[in-house]
């Protein structure tokens, strides 16, 4: 029979080896594969070319970009669970984020990022004059703005340049459109100074800037089966009720197309509405003394948060 003390020594050594290997936190595999993200670059933007990756309950240890000339990636100095992406130009890059969870276990995740020219995200419909007289807002036009990208945007800044028949600029400025999901159509309302001889066929509209949803969401559209927005006309205005059955929070932009007694469109108003997960929200679009509309129609756009 072998010496019992030697057997015990061997077993002890074997257990110690197992303990050494077990104590090393393994690097987790990408359970869901590489996450694909689309972003849009705006050359003149001072804010919208910067995005973040947030992984709550972790400490990010490193962030690397395969092409820093397209996407510059770094740790956020103000939040240990967040990484910062700075878009530099259109192109593609893979960003790898390595982090530790609360127990010290190591993990990493890859993001395959495609950066496109931001001016291509929308198409514009025909500018339509608003001719009714049921508010004090006169000489306005509304322009359909369709999000043709696969991403959602919490806001878009639309640049308009109204010109006369000779092509001279009469009025130029920016207007914002909020909570526009992929494939959805919103509307921008612009002052239409007819006395200055504006020729809408010569005028132009374009996307100047946009604020995109955070990484990992892409501003996906709310599921129509999981929410409802209803409204009714009251003496004080339009009462709106939103019900959210989803476990996600939603942001909506409700457009009210208002008509006078003759059925003529007199104004288009937009109203932002936020709905928390599993909650009901109510709000009122207040009627003013100069608002003479007698009926309205609703159109809704929105993104998940």
């Amino acid at each position: 029979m072998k010496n019992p003390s030697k057997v015990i020594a061997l077993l002890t050594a074997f257990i110690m080896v197992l303990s050494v290997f077990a104590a090393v936190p393994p690097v987790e595999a990408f359970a869901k594969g590489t996450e694909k993200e689309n972003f849009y670059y705006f050359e003149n933007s001072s804010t919208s070319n910067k995005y973040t990756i947030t992984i709550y309950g972790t400490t990010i240890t490193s962030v690397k970009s395969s092409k820093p000339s397209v996407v510059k990636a770094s740790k956020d100095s103000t939040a240990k669970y967040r990484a910062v992406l700075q878009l530099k130009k259109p192109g593609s890059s893979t960003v790898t984020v390595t982090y530790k969870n609360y127990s010290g276990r190591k993990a990493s995740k890859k993001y395959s990022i495609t950066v496109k020219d931001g001016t291509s995200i929308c198409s514009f419909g025909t500018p339509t004059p608003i001719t009714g007289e049921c508010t004090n807002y006169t000489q306005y036009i509304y322009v359909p703005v369709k999000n043709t990208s696969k991403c959602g945007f919490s806001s878009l800044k639309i640049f308009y340049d109204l010109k006369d028949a000779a092509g001279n600029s009469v009025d130029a400025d920016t207007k914002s459109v909020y909570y526009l999901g992929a494939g959805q159509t919103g509307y921008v309302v612009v002052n239409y100074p007819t006395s200055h001889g504006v020729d809408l066929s010569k005028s132009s509209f374009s996307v100047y800037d946009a604020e995109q949803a955070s990484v990992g969401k892409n501003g996906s559209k709310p599921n129509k089966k999981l929410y409802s927005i209803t409204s009714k006309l009251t003496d004080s205005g339009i009462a709106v009720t939103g019900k959210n059955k989803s476990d996600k929070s939603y942001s909506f932009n409700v457009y009210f197309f208002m008509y006078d007694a003759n059925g003529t469109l007199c104004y288009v108003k937009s109203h932002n509405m936020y709905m928390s997960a599993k909650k009901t929200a109510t709000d009122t679009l207040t009627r003013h003394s100069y608002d003479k509309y007698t009926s309205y129609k609703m159109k809704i756009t929105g993104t998940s948060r």
Side-chain angles (χ1 to χ4, degrees), residues 201-285:
S201 66
K202 301 287 186 180
S203 303
S204 62
F205 301 84
S206 60
V207 181
Y208 180 80
D209 202 352
E211 183 177 339
Q212 195 170 326
S214 60
V215 175
K217 293 181 181 178
N218 270 344
S220 57
K221 292 182 293 185
N223 186 336
K224 290 184 178 180
K225 296 180 180 179
L226 298 178
Y227 78 90
S228 64
I229 296 179
T230 57
S231 64
K232 63 179 180 180
L233 193 60
T234 67
D235 292 339
S236 57
I238 301 175
V240 188
T241 300
K243 295 182 179 180
N244 184 6
K245 299 178 182 179
S246 170
D247 57 1
K248 294 182 178 180
S249 297
Y250 293 143
S251 293
F252 293 96
N253 199 1
V254 184
Y255 293 92
F256 294 92
F257 286 71
M258 300 173 169
Y259 299 87
D260 60 22
N262 297 318
T264 304
L265 181 67
C266 52
Y267 198 58
V268 179
K269 283 189 176 182
S270 63
H271 187 71
N272 296 335
M273 192 169 189
Y274 171 72
M275 283 196 287
S276 300
K278 305 289 186 179
K279 297 291 184 180
T280 297
T282 59
D283 207 349
T284 299
L285 186 67

XYZ file of all heavy atoms in Angstrom, residues 201-285:
655
model
N -41.661 76.359 -55.022
C -40.977 75.451 -55.957
C -39.477 75.718 -56.011
O -38.693 74.860 -56.402
C -41.576 75.573 -57.360
O -41.316 76.862 -57.913
N -39.072 76.919 -55.585
C -37.653 77.281 -55.577
C -37.016 77.064 -54.194
O -35.794 77.086 -54.056
C -37.482 78.763 -55.961
C -38.026 79.141 -57.328
C -37.166 78.606 -58.450
C -37.665 79.129 -59.800
N -36.835 78.627 -60.920
N -37.852 76.875 -53.186
C -37.372 76.757 -51.814
C -36.824 75.361 -51.538
O -37.120 74.394 -52.251
C -38.499 77.084 -50.838
O -39.007 78.391 -51.095
N -36.013 75.236 -50.477
C -35.375 73.945 -50.189
C -35.438 73.627 -48.699
O -35.518 74.522 -47.854
C -33.916 73.963 -50.648
O -33.170 74.949 -49.951
N -35.376 72.305 -48.401
C -35.398 71.798 -47.030
C -34.361 70.686 -46.911
O -34.221 69.859 -47.813
C -36.794 71.266 -46.683
C -37.879 72.305 -46.812
C -38.466 72.561 -48.048
C -38.282 73.038 -45.711
C -39.453 73.536 -48.177
C -39.266 74.012 -45.835
C -39.850 74.263 -47.070
N -33.632 70.665 -45.805
C -32.591 69.653 -45.623
C -32.368 69.404 -44.132
O -32.747 70.219 -43.289
C -31.283 70.103 -46.278
O -30.821 71.318 -45.713
N -31.732 68.265 -43.821
C -31.398 67.943 -42.434
C -30.073 68.599 -42.088
O -29.064 68.368 -42.748
C -31.296 66.424 -42.220
C -30.960 66.114 -40.760
C -32.601 65.744 -42.600
N -30.079 69.417 -41.055
C -28.873 70.121 -40.628
C -28.153 69.378 -39.509
O -26.935 69.340 -39.447
C -29.239 71.533 -40.180
C -28.072 72.358 -39.707
C -27.224 72.973 -40.626
C -27.816 72.531 -38.354
C -26.145 73.735 -40.201
C -26.737 73.288 -37.920
C -25.909 73.887 -38.849
O -24.844 74.630 -38.423
N -28.937 68.780 -38.616
C -28.372 68.106 -37.458
C -29.412 67.132 -36.922
O -30.602 67.222 -37.246
C -27.994 69.135 -36.389
C -26.953 68.606 -35.407
O -26.642 67.404 -35.469
O -26.449 69.401 -34.585
N -28.994 66.183 -36.091
C -29.931 65.226 -35.514
C -29.350 64.627 -34.250
O -28.134 64.514 -34.102
C -30.254 64.117 -36.519
N -30.234 64.251 -33.348
C -29.825 63.567 -32.127
C -30.369 62.145 -32.172
O -31.581 61.926 -32.154
C -30.361 64.292 -30.894
C -29.897 63.667 -29.584
C -30.386 64.442 -28.371
O -30.730 65.630 -28.535
O -30.423 63.849 -27.284
N -29.470 61.206 -32.237
C -29.838 59.807 -32.409
C -29.978 59.107 -31.068
O -29.459 59.566 -30.052
C -28.761 59.105 -33.249
C -29.157 57.762 -33.815
C -28.125 57.288 -34.812
O -27.526 58.091 -35.515
N -27.915 55.985 -34.883
N -30.718 57.994 -31.051
C -30.865 57.218 -29.818
C -29.514 56.641 -29.402
O -28.589 56.535 -30.198
C -31.874 56.091 -30.016
N -29.405 56.248 -28.127
C -28.143 55.712 -27.617
C -27.839 54.341 -28.207
O -28.711 53.664 -28.731
C -28.201 55.607 -26.095
O -29.247 54.748 -25.705
N -26.589 53.929 -28.107
C -26.150 52.646 -28.640
C -26.954 51.519 -28.007
O -27.211 51.495 -26.819
C -24.652 52.435 -28.358
C -24.212 51.047 -28.798
C -23.835 53.491 -29.089
N -27.353 50.556 -28.830
C -28.068 49.394 -28.333
C -29.573 49.495 -28.490
O -30.281 48.530 -28.296
N -30.066 50.668 -28.910
C -31.507 50.825 -29.096
C -31.851 51.192 -30.535
O -32.804 50.695 -31.102
C -32.053 51.895 -28.148
C -31.980 51.508 -26.679
C -32.568 52.628 -25.832
C -32.507 52.292 -24.352
N -33.043 53.391 -23.518
N -31.055 52.129 -31.092
C -31.314 52.629 -32.431
C -32.694 53.265 -32.556
O -33.237 53.394 -33.635
C -31.156 51.511 -33.479
C -29.734 51.440 -34.008
O -28.963 52.378 -33.829
N -29.377 50.349 -34.620
N -33.290 53.655 -31.401
C -34.558 54.366 -31.456
C -35.665 53.558 -32.076
O -36.462 54.069 -32.862
N -35.743 52.271 -31.786
C -36.729 51.410 -32.399
C -38.135 51.951 -32.173
O -38.443 52.546 -31.147
C -36.627 49.991 -31.831
O -36.772 50.019 -30.428
N -39.011 51.749 -33.154
C -40.370 52.247 -33.066
C -41.151 51.499 -32.001
O -40.984 50.297 -31.823
C -41.068 52.084 -34.424
C -40.529 52.960 -35.516
C -41.307 52.781 -36.806
C -41.094 51.395 -37.396
N -41.741 51.259 -38.714
N -42.034 52.187 -31.291
C -42.887 51.502 -30.321
C -43.784 50.479 -31.014
O -44.246 50.692 -32.136
C -43.717 52.646 -29.721
C -42.887 53.871 -29.948
C -42.189 53.648 -31.250
N -44.024 49.370 -30.350
C -44.901 48.326 -30.866
C -46.350 48.791 -30.743
O -46.847 49.017 -29.642
C -44.678 47.031 -30.084
C -45.446 45.855 -30.668
O -46.454 46.022 -31.353
N -44.947 44.662 -30.400
N -47.047 48.935 -31.861
C -48.403 49.472 -31.851
C -49.374 48.618 -31.037
O -50.412 49.106 -30.593
C -48.910 49.628 -33.285
C -48.214 50.729 -34.072
C -48.823 50.888 -35.449
C -48.154 52.035 -36.209
N -48.739 52.203 -37.561
N -49.043 47.352 -30.864
C -49.916 46.464 -30.101
C -49.783 46.698 -28.592
O -50.614 46.210 -27.822
C -49.596 45.010 -30.432
C -49.875 44.619 -31.872
C -49.534 43.160 -32.107
C -49.821 42.760 -33.557
N -49.477 41.334 -33.797
N -48.737 47.429 -28.192
C -48.451 47.580 -26.775
C -48.723 48.987 -26.234
O -48.409 49.283 -25.091
C -47.000 47.187 -26.496
C -46.632 45.728 -26.812
C -45.158 45.487 -26.525
C -47.494 44.770 -26.003
N -49.277 49.861 -27.054
C -49.624 51.193 -26.561
C -50.852 51.718 -27.299
O -51.207 51.218 -28.380
C -48.463 52.178 -26.735
C -48.303 52.697 -28.141
C -48.959 53.855 -28.561
C -47.503 52.041 -29.059
C -48.822 54.339 -29.852
C -47.361 52.513 -30.353
C -48.021 53.660 -30.741
O -47.900 54.128 -32.018
N -51.477 52.712 -26.725
C -52.589 53.392 -27.396
C -52.581 54.857 -26.989
O -52.224 55.201 -25.861
C -53.926 52.754 -27.017
O -54.193 52.917 -25.631
N -52.957 55.724 -27.929
C -53.109 57.148 -27.643
C -54.465 57.583 -28.180
O -54.741 57.448 -29.371
C -51.986 57.982 -28.287
C -50.622 57.610 -27.677
C -52.243 59.472 -28.089
C -49.450 58.360 -28.280
N -55.322 58.052 -27.287
C -56.645 58.510 -27.669
C -56.820 59.964 -27.248
O -56.079 60.475 -26.408
C -57.738 57.653 -27.000
O -57.565 57.693 -25.574
C -57.641 56.205 -27.467
N -57.811 60.633 -27.828
C -58.041 62.042 -27.499
C -59.508 62.393 -27.702
O -60.245 61.680 -28.386
C -57.155 62.936 -28.372
O -57.532 62.795 -29.744
N -59.895 63.509 -27.103
C -61.259 64.013 -27.302
C -61.255 65.529 -27.164
O -60.444 66.115 -26.437
C -62.223 63.378 -26.305
C -61.935 63.692 -24.846
C -62.976 63.026 -23.943
C -62.704 63.339 -22.476
N -63.718 62.696 -21.579
N -62.184 66.158 -27.880
C -62.300 67.611 -27.880
C -63.127 68.055 -26.681
O -64.226 67.557 -26.436
C -62.954 68.075 -29.180
C -62.895 69.563 -29.516
C -61.460 70.045 -29.635
C -63.658 69.829 -30.803
N -62.575 68.998 -25.902
C -63.278 69.536 -24.735
C -63.322 71.059 -24.835
O -62.722 71.657 -25.739
C -62.568 69.131 -23.434
O -61.285 69.787 -23.365
C -62.362 67.624 -23.363
N -64.017 71.678 -23.892
C -64.096 73.146 -23.883
C -62.725 73.780 -23.659
O -62.458 74.898 -24.124
C -65.052 73.619 -22.786
C -66.499 73.252 -23.078
O -66.803 73.007 -24.269
O -67.303 73.176 -22.134
N -61.853 73.093 -22.936
C -60.538 73.655 -22.610
C -59.462 73.282 -23.625
O -58.350 73.784 -23.554
C -60.106 73.191 -21.217
O -60.078 71.782 -21.144
N -59.776 72.395 -24.550
C -58.792 72.005 -25.557
C -58.958 70.562 -25.992
O -60.079 70.060 -26.080
N -57.852 69.898 -26.224
C -57.870 68.496 -26.630
C -57.240 67.666 -25.518
O -56.064 67.843 -25.185
C -57.103 68.282 -27.945
C -57.721 69.121 -29.065
C -57.117 66.801 -28.332
C -56.948 69.065 -30.375
N -58.030 66.792 -24.909
C -57.546 65.929 -23.832
C -56.963 64.659 -24.445
O -57.609 63.996 -25.257
C -58.681 65.581 -22.879
N -55.722 64.345 -24.045
C -55.005 63.201 -24.618
C -54.714 62.184 -23.520
O -54.267 62.547 -22.422
C -53.681 63.657 -25.267
C -53.028 62.499 -26.022
C -53.910 64.833 -26.197
N -54.946 60.907 -23.817
C -54.641 59.832 -22.886
C -53.788 58.780 -23.582
O -54.134 58.315 -24.674
C -55.925 59.157 -22.361
O -56.722 60.127 -21.700
C -55.588 58.034 -21.380
N -52.673 58.440 -22.964
C -51.787 57.415 -23.507
C -51.657 56.253 -22.548
O -51.477 56.455 -21.341
N -51.761 55.023 -23.049
C -51.610 53.824 -22.225
C -50.472 52.969 -22.785
O -50.462 52.651 -23.968
C -52.912 53.027 -22.202
C -54.067 53.753 -21.524
C -55.324 52.898 -21.483
C -56.462 53.628 -20.772
N -57.699 52.800 -20.726
N -49.536 52.629 -21.922
C -48.367 51.860 -22.321
C -48.390 50.500 -21.617
O -48.266 50.413 -20.406
C -47.087 52.621 -21.960
C -45.833 51.912 -22.435
O -45.902 50.907 -23.133
N -44.680 52.451 -22.068
N -48.547 49.431 -22.391
C -48.557 48.070 -21.848
C -47.170 47.433 -21.884
O -46.977 46.341 -21.371
C -49.535 47.202 -22.632
C -50.977 47.676 -22.593
C -51.857 46.777 -23.447
C -53.303 47.266 -23.468
N -54.140 46.395 -24.329
N -46.226 48.114 -22.508
C -44.891 47.561 -22.700
C -44.030 47.733 -21.452
O -44.324 48.551 -20.576
C -44.214 48.248 -23.889
O -42.852 47.915 -23.983
N -42.942 46.960 -21.375
C -41.970 47.139 -20.297
C -40.903 48.151 -20.689
O -39.909 48.314 -19.993
C -41.319 45.801 -19.920
C -40.641 45.129 -21.103
O -40.660 45.699 -22.217
O -40.092 44.029 -20.931
N -41.100 48.856 -21.813
C -40.207 49.915 -22.255
C -40.895 51.263 -22.099
O -42.117 51.363 -22.117
C -39.814 49.728 -23.726
C -38.983 48.496 -24.022
C -38.618 48.457 -25.498
C -37.750 47.252 -25.830
N -37.406 47.220 -27.275
N -40.091 52.306 -21.962
C -40.621 53.668 -21.938
C -40.588 54.234 -23.348
O -39.663 53.959 -24.116
C -39.791 54.552 -20.999
O -39.882 54.086 -19.673
N -41.598 55.021 -23.691
C -41.735 55.569 -25.033
C -41.817 57.093 -25.004
O -42.364 57.673 -24.060
C -42.992 55.042 -25.723
C -42.979 53.563 -26.042
C -44.147 52.807 -25.924
C -41.818 52.928 -26.475
C -44.156 51.448 -26.233
C -41.822 51.576 -26.785
C -42.993 50.835 -26.661
O -42.995 49.499 -26.964
N -41.302 57.713 -26.050
C -41.482 59.150 -26.274
C -42.222 59.334 -27.594
O -41.818 58.767 -28.616
C -40.140 59.876 -26.313
O -39.514 59.851 -25.050
N -43.287 60.137 -27.567
C -44.110 60.328 -28.754
C -44.183 61.801 -29.128
O -44.025 62.684 -28.291
C -45.537 59.829 -28.501
C -45.647 58.349 -28.303
C -45.665 57.806 -27.031
C -45.730 57.491 -29.393
C -45.770 56.443 -26.833
C -45.833 56.130 -29.205
C -45.855 55.594 -27.928
N -44.446 62.034 -30.408
C -44.806 63.357 -30.885
C -46.170 63.203 -31.553
O -46.294 62.495 -32.550
C -43.776 63.896 -31.864
C -43.876 65.406 -32.026
O -44.703 66.049 -31.395
N -43.040 65.968 -32.874
N -47.177 63.831 -30.969
C -48.534 63.744 -31.513
C -48.808 65.003 -32.330
O -48.736 66.120 -31.814
C -49.575 63.609 -30.382
C -50.964 63.427 -30.979
C -49.220 62.438 -29.468
N -49.122 64.815 -33.619
C -49.430 65.945 -34.498
C -50.949 66.103 -34.581
O -51.675 65.140 -34.844
C -48.860 65.713 -35.891
C -47.354 65.707 -35.938
C -46.642 64.513 -35.798
C -46.635 66.884 -36.123
C -45.254 64.503 -35.833
C -45.243 66.882 -36.158
C -44.569 65.682 -36.017
O -43.198 65.667 -36.046
N -51.417 67.333 -34.366
C -52.839 67.642 -34.470
C -53.058 68.505 -35.709
O -52.573 69.647 -35.774
C -53.321 68.372 -33.223
C -53.270 67.537 -31.979
C -52.152 67.557 -31.152
C -54.330 66.714 -31.632
C -52.098 66.783 -29.999
C -54.288 65.928 -30.484
C -53.172 65.969 -29.669
N -53.758 67.957 -36.684
C -54.144 68.710 -37.874
C -55.521 69.311 -37.586
O -56.515 68.588 -37.484
C -54.188 67.793 -39.098
C -52.831 67.399 -39.610
C -52.028 66.529 -38.891
C -52.355 67.915 -40.810
C -50.770 66.167 -39.360
C -51.102 67.557 -41.287
C -50.310 66.690 -40.554
N -55.571 70.635 -37.447
C -56.783 71.320 -36.986
C -57.537 71.944 -38.154
O -56.932 72.579 -39.028
C -56.400 72.387 -35.963
C -55.707 71.804 -34.742
S -55.073 73.084 -33.647
C -54.633 72.097 -32.208
N -58.873 71.780 -38.130
C -59.723 72.242 -39.239
C -60.797 73.184 -38.729
O -61.305 73.032 -37.602
C -60.374 71.047 -39.926
C -59.372 70.074 -40.515
C -58.830 69.055 -39.742
C -58.963 70.183 -41.842
C -57.900 68.166 -40.269
C -58.036 69.301 -42.381
C -57.503 68.298 -41.583
O -56.579 67.424 -42.108
N -61.153 74.175 -39.568
C -62.215 75.098 -39.196
C -63.574 74.510 -39.572
O -63.670 73.367 -40.023
C -61.992 76.472 -39.841
C -61.964 76.424 -41.370
O -62.513 75.461 -41.955
O -61.396 77.341 -41.982
N -64.622 75.300 -39.403
C -65.982 74.811 -39.639
C -66.220 74.432 -41.097
O -67.116 73.639 -41.404
C -66.988 75.861 -39.185
N -65.413 74.984 -41.983
C -65.551 74.669 -43.405
C -64.719 73.448 -43.820
O -64.704 73.083 -44.987
C -65.129 75.878 -44.252
C -66.021 77.076 -44.024
O -67.244 76.929 -43.927
N -65.418 78.258 -43.937
N -64.026 72.854 -42.840
C -63.198 71.696 -43.155
C -61.853 72.068 -43.748
O -61.159 71.210 -44.319
N -61.446 73.328 -43.597
C -60.168 73.800 -44.136
C -59.090 73.710 -43.055
O -59.312 74.132 -41.916
C -60.283 75.256 -44.618
O -61.337 75.351 -45.573
C -58.978 75.713 -45.259
N -57.937 73.191 -43.421
C -56.833 73.086 -42.467
C -56.374 74.468 -42.047
O -56.074 75.319 -42.885
C -55.665 72.325 -43.103
C -54.434 72.116 -42.210
C -54.770 71.178 -41.048
C -53.274 71.538 -43.021
N -56.348 74.706 -40.732
C -55.947 76.024 -40.253
C -54.654 76.000 -39.447
O -54.039 77.048 -39.252
C -57.051 76.671 -39.432
S -57.692 75.660 -38.097
N -54.212 74.847 -38.977
C -52.911 74.782 -38.317
C -52.533 73.326 -38.048
O -53.393 72.454 -37.967
C -52.886 75.575 -37.004
C -51.484 75.892 -36.544
C -50.615 76.617 -37.357
C -51.009 75.451 -35.322
C -49.320 76.897 -36.957
C -49.709 75.730 -34.904
C -48.871 76.456 -35.742
O -47.580 76.718 -35.354
N -51.221 73.131 -37.880
C -50.690 71.825 -37.479
C -49.850 72.063 -36.232
O -48.860 72.793 -36.272
C -49.818 71.191 -38.586
C -49.265 69.849 -38.115
C -50.614 71.020 -39.869
N -50.279 71.471 -35.119
C -49.543 71.595 -33.865
C -48.952 70.244 -33.483
O -49.573 69.207 -33.676
C -50.455 72.078 -32.744
C -50.762 73.563 -32.771
C -51.494 73.991 -31.496
C -51.714 75.501 -31.465
N -52.383 75.926 -30.208
N -47.761 70.275 -32.899
C -47.146 69.045 -32.406
C -47.084 69.100 -30.879
O -46.900 70.166 -30.291
C -45.747 68.853 -32.991
O -44.884 69.884 -32.578
N -47.233 67.926 -30.272
C -47.289 67.849 -28.814
C -46.481 66.647 -28.356
O -46.774 65.504 -28.734
C -48.747 67.724 -28.370
C -48.944 67.808 -26.893
N -48.784 68.972 -26.184
C -49.277 66.863 -25.977
C -49.028 68.756 -24.901
N -49.320 67.478 -24.741
N -45.431 66.888 -27.566
C -44.589 65.795 -27.067
C -45.261 65.091 -25.896
O -45.857 65.734 -25.026
C -43.223 66.321 -26.625
C -42.432 66.906 -27.774
O -42.642 66.546 -28.921
N -41.530 67.816 -27.465
N -45.111 63.762 -25.871
C -45.730 62.977 -24.805
C -44.816 61.825 -24.419
O -44.368 61.058 -25.282
C -47.084 62.438 -25.269
C -47.947 61.865 -24.172
S -49.633 61.559 -24.756
C -50.436 61.177 -23.199
N -44.532 61.723 -23.123
C -43.665 60.654 -22.609
C -44.505 59.659 -21.815
O -45.340 60.058 -20.989
C -42.577 61.245 -21.720
C -41.766 60.211 -20.984
C -40.851 59.412 -21.656
C -41.932 60.042 -19.611
C -40.116 58.456 -20.983
C -41.186 59.092 -18.930
C -40.286 58.303 -19.621
O -39.563 57.349 -18.950
N -44.283 58.359 -22.078
C -45.009 57.327 -21.359
C -44.039 56.330 -20.742
O -43.285 55.668 -21.462
C -45.984 56.602 -22.286
C -47.244 57.395 -22.585
S -48.565 56.373 -23.277
C -47.950 56.100 -24.917
N -44.059 56.231 -19.427
C -43.229 55.259 -18.723
C -43.773 53.855 -18.952
O -44.935 53.666 -19.327
C -43.209 55.558 -17.224
O -42.690 56.838 -16.966
N -42.917 52.862 -18.734
C -43.312 51.463 -18.900
C -44.489 51.133 -17.991
O -44.512 51.514 -16.818
C -42.129 50.559 -18.585
N -45.473 50.442 -18.569
C -46.631 49.954 -17.822
C -47.440 51.080 -17.157
O -48.074 50.873 -16.125
C -46.198 48.955 -16.742
C -45.375 47.786 -17.243
C -46.182 46.801 -18.048
C -45.370 45.572 -18.402
N -46.153 44.583 -19.178
N -47.411 52.281 -17.740
C -48.090 53.416 -17.115
C -49.101 54.053 -18.070
O -49.073 53.839 -19.277
C -47.073 54.473 -16.680
C -46.083 54.018 -15.623
C -46.742 53.785 -14.285
C -45.719 53.439 -13.225
N -46.349 53.213 -11.897
N -49.982 54.867 -17.502
C -50.930 55.670 -18.257
C -50.577 57.141 -18.069
O -50.300 57.577 -16.953
C -52.375 55.422 -17.788
O -52.725 54.058 -18.044
C -53.352 56.332 -18.519
N -50.583 57.893 -19.148
C -50.250 59.317 -19.091
C -51.407 60.131 -19.666
O -52.065 59.707 -20.623
C -48.976 59.600 -19.879
N -51.670 61.284 -19.080
C -52.713 62.179 -19.577
C -52.154 63.587 -19.741
O -51.232 63.990 -19.028
C -53.913 62.234 -18.599
O -53.461 62.682 -17.313
C -54.553 60.859 -18.448
N -52.716 64.320 -20.692
C -52.265 65.685 -20.941
C -53.358 66.421 -21.701
O -54.295 65.801 -22.227
C -50.968 65.678 -21.752
C -50.124 66.916 -21.511
O -50.634 67.862 -20.894
O -48.957 66.927 -21.940
N -53.232 67.736 -21.796
C -54.220 68.542 -22.509
C -53.520 69.561 -23.386
O -52.609 70.265 -22.923
C -55.161 69.280 -21.525
O -55.863 68.321 -20.733
C -56.160 70.138 -22.281
N -53.933 69.616 -24.629
C -53.472 70.657 -25.539
C -54.444 71.822 -25.383
O -55.588 71.771 -25.850
C -53.456 70.142 -26.977
C -52.858 71.072 -28.024
C -51.361 71.241 -27.797
C -53.110 70.535 -29.422
